[in-house]
Amino acid sequence: MKYLSLIISLSLFFLFTDQLQAQHDHSQHKPGSEVKNTAEAASGLTETFVVYGNCGMCKRTIEKAAKSVAGVQSAIWDSETDMITVQYDAAKAKLGDIKKAIAASGYDTDAFRAPDEAYNGLPGCCQYDRPEKAQAETATTATSAITETFTVYGNCGMCKRTIEKAAKGVDGVQSATWDADAAKVTVTYDSGKVKLETIKKAIAASGYDTDAFRASDDAYKALPGCCQYDRPEN
C-alpha cells in the first residue's frame, strides 16, 4: 500500500506539471502574435544619407537630433564619410522628418539646409564647410546625380580636408570623401550643373594632382610641409 500511494502521488504530480506547461505554451502563442511580430519587422527600415559636420561634438548633436524623432530606433553618424545610418519604424516616422530634425539642429543634410541661425549657433569647431546649396529630393536631382571615384595624390588628414573642401566648393557637388590610403576621392554631383572635369580642376587648383590635371608648382609649394606628397612623374 505504501508503494501504491507513492506511485499515485507521483502520477498526479507529473499530470499537474504537464497541465501548467501546456497553459504556459498556449499563453506564449496567442493567435495573432506571429502576425504582429511580422508586421513590426516589415515596418523597420534602415537608410543612409549625407549630413555635413566635423567632429565628435557634431556626432553627438546629429545623432541626438535624429533619435528625437518618434519611431527612430538608432542613429550612427560617421565623421569620415559625412554619412548617417538611421533605423526607424516606417509606421511612426518619415525619412523627411528625420532629415528636418537634423537640419533644425544646425546640420545640413542632402535634402534640407539648416537655418543660418542654427548653424551660426554651433560651437566654432562644429562650423563645418557648408555646401553651396542643400540638395532637394526631386526627380530631377535623383536622375542627374552621379557618383565618380578618381585619383587625387596627397598625404594626411590636412590634405583630406583641403581636397574635400575644394571639391565641395564647386556648385553642384553634393559630397566628397577622400581616402588617404587609396589616394582616391569619391564625389557625388549633379551632372546637370557641373562636369567632372571642373571638379578635378578645382582640386588641382588647391595644390593636389589628380589623374587628369597637375597642380601648378606654386600651389603645390604653398602646401604645408606634411602635405607635400610625392608627385607622379607626369
Side-chain angles (χ1 to χ4, degrees):
M1 291 295 293
K2 180 179 179 181
Y3 290 112
L4 180 59
S5 298
L6 178 61
I7 292 171
I8 292 173
S9 297
L10 289 172
S11 298
L12 290 173
F13 173 78
F14 287 122
L15 178 61
F16 180 72
T17 302
D18 289 342
Q19 289 176 337
L20 286 178
Q21 183 62 44
Q23 291 175 357
H24 176 74
D25 291 343
H26 178 72
S27 67
Q28 294 296 312
H29 298 281
K30 293 180 180 179
S33 63
E34 292 85 354
V35 175
K36 180 180 179 182
N37 291 337
T38 301
E40 288 175 350
S43 64
L45 293 177
T46 300
E47 297 281 356
T48 299
F49 56 90
V50 172
V51 180
Y52 297 95
N54 284 334
C55 59
M57 192 179 298
C58 298
K59 177 179 173 70
R60 290 191 292 274
T61 304
I62 292 167
E63 292 176 356
K64 182 178 179 180
K67 292 175 184 176
S68 72
V69 178
V72 174
Q73 299 154 2
S74 68
I76 300 174
W77 181 73
D78 186 335
S79 62
E80 294 295 321
T81 61
D82 282 337
M83 302 295 285
I84 188 171
T85 299
V86 293
Q87 291 182 327
Y88 63 99
D89 184 342
K92 297 180 180 179
K94 294 181 179 179
L95 184 60
D97 292 336
I98 301 170
K99 293 182 178 184
K100 285 180 181 178
I102 293 172
S105 72
Y107 293 89
D108 296 341
T109 76
D110 58 353
F112 298 99
R113 187 175 178 86
D116 290 340
E117 296 82 359
Y119 173 82
N120 293 333
L122 296 175
C125 64
C126 295
Q127 292 188 359
Y128 51 94
D129 295 322
R130 305 187 79 177
E132 289 293 320
K133 297 178 182 178
Q135 302 298 315
E137 286 184 315
T138 63
T140 301
T141 301
T143 55
S144 61
I146 293 178
T147 298
E148 299 277 1
T149 298
F150 55 90
T151 298
V152 179
Y153 298 94
N155 286 334
C156 59
M158 193 178 296
C159 297
K160 176 180 173 69
R161 288 191 293 274
T162 304
I163 292 166
E164 293 176 357
K165 182 177 180 180
K168 292 175 185 177
V170 178
D171 186 27
V173 174
Q174 300 167 12
S175 67
T177 304
W178 182 71
D179 184 332
D181 293 329
K184 299 280 188 181
V185 68
T186 299
V187 293
T188 299
Y189 62 98
D190 185 344
S191 61
K193 293 182 177 180
V194 64
K195 294 181 179 179
L196 183 61
E197 178 182 280
T198 303
I199 302 170
K200 292 183 178 183
K201 284 181 178 178
I203 293 172
S206 71
Y208 293 89
D209 296 341
T210 75
D211 57 357
F213 297 97
R214 185 176 178 86
S216 69
D217 290 342
D218 289 341
Y220 173 80
K221 291 174 182 177
L223 296 175
C226 64
C227 295
Q228 293 187 2
Y229 53 92
D230 295 325
R231 306 187 78 176
E233 289 291 325
N234 296 315

